[in-house]
DNA sequence: TGATGTCTACCTATTAGTAGGTAGACAAAA
DNA sequence: TTTTGTCTACCTACTAATAGGTAGACATCA
């Protein structure tokens, strides 16, 4: 009973890895079909249109992200540890090339030509993530763990941009380690003063 | 004698704006054809294959960027002003939605499925930009204008990631002002201590 | 029985790219 | 001076492959 993933979940898994590699226009039903050994028509049975497939995909991604981030927010760990865990997640992903890029970050680049139903979901993820980071930063500030030079919501945007930019650079230079090099000093900066 | 742009340059102009909007797979010869009122076959006359078209496009972009950055390096302005000018360029672009995104940053996201001839050129641009930022930061450090917490080449990577991430966020939130909000504090940080 | 999932077999539109030809500019040869 | 050839830029008309999507038959399972 190793992987009991349903067909529709397998479809979403493959679609996600294809989007991460090449964006919305970078994959087709034929690609998915070939990858999991099922006919195109069967994929249409589960997801009538491409826009719907990607919408469901982003919904699933958002749900997983929400759960993941929420679980970090437990009383167990300090805001500093929460932030570090978030970054460790991506560091591991990028090193192991599992999903070496955030689906929503990828789609955000194509915002202007995405079906509206997809675009709005991507926007929503960005809002969620910014919100989570803001609340963690604010908590850390109130506990005197972080010394912020800007308002928490601004520092959250800065951090989010660093993370996404670091993903891009790691990919452009084909150097997973670059992610850590870029992102770690930003945390160091929040924690204290000097590196 | 307003705009005497040659046909091939018009093709590149349109292609560039289409790539910025939707990436490599986000445009077709038919799109360009419709945009400038010329037949598809005529575009193939100028650029036999899509990979070649985009390669020439990236070459042109790199040349322009090189010239632009080089002109900032004149003795006239301090490293701090050079950095500021670079950011102002993008701030204006994003505000006016001209090319509201760096072509190479867009393509870097699709790295994994780009024709090799294109991918290598995109990598080269990232290298150039990182190099330029490194040398400006190093100069500023030596003149005691910047107080860096990390090695110049690392700070350059951090800054570059911030810029690209800020472009992405500005697009995701559909808020050009976000670019400045994200990027300005990074400069402030380099310049002195407190915001 | 009927719902679910998969299939074969198709459809139309679009993709990148090709074949072959036309009209005009320019230059050298007659 | 005409004529011949070459070149550039564009055209119409096509190709093979792929895109997303549909209709309906068949099987399995509750």
């Amino acid at each position: 009973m190793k992987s009991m993933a349903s067909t529709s979940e397998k479809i979403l898994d493959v679609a996600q890895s294809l989007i991460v590699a090449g964006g919305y226009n970078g994959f087709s039903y034929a690609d998915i079909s070939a990858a999991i050994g099922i006919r195109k028509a069967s994929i249409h049975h589960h997801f009538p249109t491409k826009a719907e497939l990607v919408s469901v995909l982003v919904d699933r991604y958002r749900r997983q992200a929400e759960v993941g981030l929420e679980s970090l927010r437990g009383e167990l760990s300090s805001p500093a540890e929460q932030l570090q865990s978030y970054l460790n997640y991506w560091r591991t992903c990028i090193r192991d090339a599992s999903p070496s890029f955030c689906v929503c970050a990828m789609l955000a680049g194509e915002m202007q030509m995405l079906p509206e139903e997809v675009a709005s979901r991507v926007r929503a993820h960005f809002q969620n993530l910014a919100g989570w980071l803001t609340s963690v930063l604010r908590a850390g500030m109130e506990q005197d763990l972080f010394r912020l030079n800007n308002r928490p919501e601004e520092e959250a945007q800065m951090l989010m941009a660093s993370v996404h930019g670091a993903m891009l650079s790691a990919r452009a230079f084909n150097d997973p380690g670059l992610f850590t090099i870029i992102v770690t000093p930003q945390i160091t900066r929040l924690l204290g003063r000097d590196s």
Side-chain angles (χ1 to χ4, degrees), chain A residues 3-176:
Chain A
S3 79
M4 268 294 291
S6 70
T7 301
S8 58
E9 291 210 327
K10 278 193 272 186
I11 293 171
L12 294 176
D13 290 343
V14 171
Q16 179 159 333
S17 74
L18 290 171
I19 288 178
V20 163
Y24 188 89
N25 290 307
F27 80 101
S28 70
Y29 274 47
D31 296 329
I32 301 173
S33 160
I36 66 181
I38 203 184
R39 299 294 141 171
K40 276 196 314 165
S42 308
I43 305 174
H44 279 288
H45 168 73
H46 294 280
F47 306 102
T49 69
K50 193 178 183 180
E52 202 167 311
L53 165 58
V54 178
S55 292
V56 173
L57 171 64
V58 175
D59 282 341
R60 187 185 69 156
Y61 180 79
R62 290 225 289 142
R63 217 176 312 121
Q64 290 169 348
E66 190 116 22
V67 169
L69 293 179
E70 204 54 51
S71 82
L72 292 179
R73 192 135 60 173
E75 303 292 336
L76 312 113
S77 58
S78 77
E81 287 168 330
Q82 291 169 42
L83 221 49
Q84 199 50 250
S85 299
Y86 165 66
L87 298 177
N88 280 344
Y89 168 75
W90 279 115
R91 190 170 55 82
T92 309
C93 283
I94 291 165
R95 187 203 332 117
D96 304 350
S98 352
S100 66
F101 216 90
C102 168
V103 189
C104 287
M106 195 67 194
L107 292 172
E110 310 177 286
M111 211 45 125
Q112 315 195 352
M113 45 123 284
L114 288 179
E116 179 47 36
E117 41 186 327
V118 177
S120 62
R121 285 170 164 85
V122 171
R123 249 188 302 276
H125 170 76
F126 269 69
Q127 231 115 37
N128 284 160
L129 182 53
W132 183 84
L133 286 170
T134 301
S135 78
V136 170
L137 289 172
R138 178 175 292 121
M141 190 179 66
E142 288 165 354
Q143 297 177 224
D144 270 321
L145 280 166
F146 299 145
R147 217 171 291 289
L148 309 186
N149 290 321
N150 307 274
R151 290 167 44 229
E153 33 304 351
E154 287 165 359
E155 290 282 355
Q157 291 290 353
M158 291 167 62
L159 193 53
M160 201 164 96
S162 271
V163 169
H164 292 148
M167 286 175 186
L168 200 68
S169 288
R171 177 168 283 192
F173 288 101
N174 192 30
D175 174 7

